[in-house]
Amino acid sequence: FEIFNLDMKTGDTLKIKGKISEDADGFSINLGCKSSDLALHFNPRFNESVIVCNSRCSNAWQAEHRDNNLCFSKGSTIKITIEMLADKFQVKLPEGHEVEFPNRHCYDKISYMSVKGGFRVTSFKL
């Protein structure tokens, strides 16, 4: 699932609903200018029971941010809300849990989005 003309700007909120597959090791939601330049790589990993967030610059991964509150499970249907602020991304998850990740590239516009791995998007709204 890839979009190349997203047009997400500072202050915008992206809502993604979908179903996590029963056999998923994990999945990722990526936001940036292109796959090699990501402002936000949101990556729940079920095999490690962790949510990893990162950014990517010219194909090089930067320092990982790890959150040990994996508040959803394989086979569940979830809604994820990502708010893009000037200095950070605020990711709202089930059960009121939130993950914050800095906007390291200081992007004010995001054109690229991809969803990979064991997550099937049923709807999204910007």
Side-chain angles (χ1 to χ4, degrees), residues 3-125:
I3 296 173
F4 297 94
N5 58 348
L6 187 63
D7 197 29
M8 184 176 185
K9 297 184 263 326
T10 305
D12 284 351
T13 300
L14 178 68
K15 293 177 181 167
I16 302 172
K17 281 185 191 158
K19 181 159 171 58
I20 302 166
S21 64
E22 296 284 351
D23 59 351
D25 290 330
F27 64 90
S28 65
I29 298 172
N30 303 295
L31 297 172
C33 291
K34 51 186 180 246
S35 60
S36 58
D37 289 289
L38 299 175
L40 175 66
H41 169 72
F42 176 82
N43 178 214
R45 298 177 185 170
F46 296 107
N47 55 345
E48 297 177 56
S49 294
V50 69
I51 296 172
V52 176
C53 291
N54 205 342
S55 54
R56 197 172 187 182
C57 189
S58 303
N59 264 332
W61 289 108
Q62 297 173 308
E64 283 187 349
H65 166 82
R66 297 172 83 88
D67 186 302
N68 293 318
N69 191 338
L70 191 59
C71 54
F72 42 83
S73 57
K74 296 179 185 188
S76 60
T77 299
I78 60 167
K79 181 172 104 176
I80 297 172
T81 304
I82 302 171
E83 188 178 0
M84 181 180 175
L85 303 168
D87 60 337
K88 66 186 173 191
F89 292 90
Q90 204 156 350
V91 184
K92 293 182 173 74
L93 300 167
E95 298 172 20
H97 187 61
E98 289 189 11
V99 175
E100 287 188 354
F101 186 73
N103 184 354
R104 293 173 173 163
H105 303 317
C106 300
Y107 286 157
D108 56 8
K109 192 176 166 203
I110 301 273
S111 55
Y112 175 81
M113 172 182 143
S114 70
V115 179
K116 299 185 183 308
F119 184 77
R120 190 171 52 83
V121 176
T122 53
S123 73
F124 80 95
K125 187 169 95 177

